[in-house]
């Protein structure tokens, strides 16, 4: 690292030199690290290549899930969700006890690690809704049954007048990168009422994928009543979405 002394302050890269600003100072440094071609071929970097191959599988699996549930995630996900999801899939890949290093993959790993994943860390379902629910998946149809509860017990964000349950189900082949998804939406209900009857959300039939994994999620969306019209609360920033079943 060296300081830039010239009256002309540079930012960017010129050849092997990188010019940048840090802590109010203009600095320069030479290109560091190991040459990419060497990493690809040198036997001493075999472990690095193996880790890289497995990490790429985790990234692709997370992207497959995000793309399949894009509509729901738009209303619920926090900024760090993508990285947190990749981290979970990395753990799943590393849990593969059958494949050789570098060949470990999601489908041979412990996919149950995905269960309980919260897509909005700042507003997760577990901390908002304390009541019981059941989930079943039969012939590609997911049923999520929410038992009777008191809506006043929901830990609602400021300004919320109504809430709504949504359920999403999908089949995934995280190795072949195939997916099939369906969802169901409940009716919005008032948060100031004292009781809510049993409610079942039934998705449409999800096309099964041979050897695939089923993932079911439950979400809680918040709304605000303004002159008889319901609006998304804070553009969905306080909504919750959780993986409740992986089979």
């Amino acid at each position: 690292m060296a300081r830039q002394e010239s009256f002309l302050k540079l930012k960017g890269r010129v050849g092997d030199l990188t010019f940048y600003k840090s802590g109010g100072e203009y600095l320069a440094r030479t290109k560091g690290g190991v040459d990419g071609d060497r990493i690809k071929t040198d036997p001493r970097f075999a472990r690095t290549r193996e880790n890289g191959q497995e990490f790429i599988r985790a990234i692709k699996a997370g992207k497959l899930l995000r793309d399949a549930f894009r509509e729901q995630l738009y209303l619920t996900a926090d900024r760090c969700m993508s990285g947190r999801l990749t981290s979970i899939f990395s753990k799943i890949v590393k849990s593969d006890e059958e494949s050789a290093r570098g060949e470990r993959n999601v489908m041979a790993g412990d996919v149950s690690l995905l269960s309980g994943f919260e897509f909005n860390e700042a507003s997760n379902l577990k901390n908002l809704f304390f009541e019981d629910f059941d989930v079943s998946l039969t012939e590609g149809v997911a049923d999520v049954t929410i038992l009777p509860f008191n809506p006043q017990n929901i830990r609602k964000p400021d300004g919320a007048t109504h809430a709504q349950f949504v359920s999403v189900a999908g089949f995934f082949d995280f190795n072949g990168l195939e997916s099939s998804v369906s969802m169901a939406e409940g009716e919005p209900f008032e948060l100031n009422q004292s009781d809510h009857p049993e409610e079942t959300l039934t998705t449409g039939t999800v096309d099964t994928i041979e050897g695939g994994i089923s993932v079911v999620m439950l979400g809680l969306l918040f709304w605000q009543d303004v002159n008889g019209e319901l609006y998304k609360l804070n553009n969905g920033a306080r909504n919750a979405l959780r993986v409740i079943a992986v089979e």
Side-chain angles (χ1 to χ4, degrees):
M1 179 186 70
R3 292 183 176 85
Q4 297 182 45
E5 298 294 345
S6 170
F7 69 93
L8 291 175
K9 304 303 182 184
L10 304 177
K11 294 176 71 175
R13 178 176 294 176
V14 179
D16 288 338
L17 288 176
T18 299
F19 300 91
Y20 62 102
K21 184 179 181 181
S22 177
E25 294 186 296
Y26 286 86
L27 308 172
R29 64 187 175 198
T30 58
K31 181 180 178 181
V34 181
D35 182 79
D37 290 335
R38 182 182 174 191
I39 292 177
K40 293 178 182 178
T41 58
D42 193 324
R44 286 176 291 183
F45 289 95
R47 183 61 53 83
T48 300
R49 292 193 294 272
E50 293 167 355
N51 291 337
Q53 290 166 355
E54 294 182 350
F55 186 61
I56 287 173
R57 293 191 188 101
I59 291 175
K60 288 183 176 180
K63 184 177 186 301
L64 181 70
L65 190 69
R66 297 198 315 272
D67 287 348
F69 296 145
R70 185 174 300 279
E71 180 180 351
Q72 292 72 38
L73 298 185
Y74 175 74
L75 296 174
T76 56
D78 62 63
R79 293 181 181 179
C80 299
M81 180 275 294
S82 179
R84 293 190 296 106
L85 189 59
T86 297
S87 178
I88 290 293
F89 276 112
S90 291
K91 292 178 181 178
I92 294 173
V93 168
K94 291 176 182 177
S95 70
D96 177 359
E97 298 180 347
E98 302 174 359
S99 308
R101 286 190 61 92
E103 300 298 326
R104 293 180 297 184
N105 61 84
V106 174
M107 300 300 287
D110 181 7
V111 292
S112 67
L113 293 173
L114 188 61
S115 183
F117 182 81
E118 297 276 2
F119 288 88
N120 190 348
E121 198 170 42
S123 184
N124 60 69
L125 185 66
K126 183 178 180 180
N127 292 338
L128 295 173
F129 185 68
F130 310 104
E131 310 300 334
D132 293 329
F133 53 84
D134 297 319
V135 57
S136 65
L137 186 66
T138 306
E139 296 182 351
V141 176
D143 287 314
V144 178
T145 300
I146 300 151
L147 303 181
F149 67 95
N150 183 350
Q152 295 180 24
N153 291 334
I154 292 177
R155 186 175 292 174
K156 65 178 182 179
D158 292 340
T161 61
H162 291 68
Q164 175 190 23
F165 289 108
V166 296
S167 175
V168 194
F171 272 99
F172 294 88
D173 177 356
F174 291 110
N175 290 355
L177 301 180
E178 295 183 70
S179 66
S180 175
V181 175
S182 183
M183 69 171 293
E185 295 182 322
E187 291 295 325
F189 57 89
E190 295 182 15
L191 289 166
N192 63 1
Q193 64 189 44
S194 59
D195 62 86
H196 187 284
E198 181 178 293
E199 179 178 357
T200 298
L201 303 173
T202 301
T203 66
T205 302
V206 182
D207 294 333
T208 58
I209 297 174
E210 185 176 355
I213 295 166
S214 62
V215 179
V216 183
M217 305 192 301
L218 178 63
L220 183 61
L221 314 183
F222 291 104
W223 303 83
Q224 186 176 54
D225 186 335
V226 180
N227 298 325
E229 194 77 24
L230 292 182
Y231 295 88
K232 298 171 186 174
L233 186 68
N234 296 331
N235 290 321
R238 306 306 298 176
N239 293 339
L241 186 68
R242 177 184 176 90
V243 176
I244 59 173
V246 179
E247 298 179 7

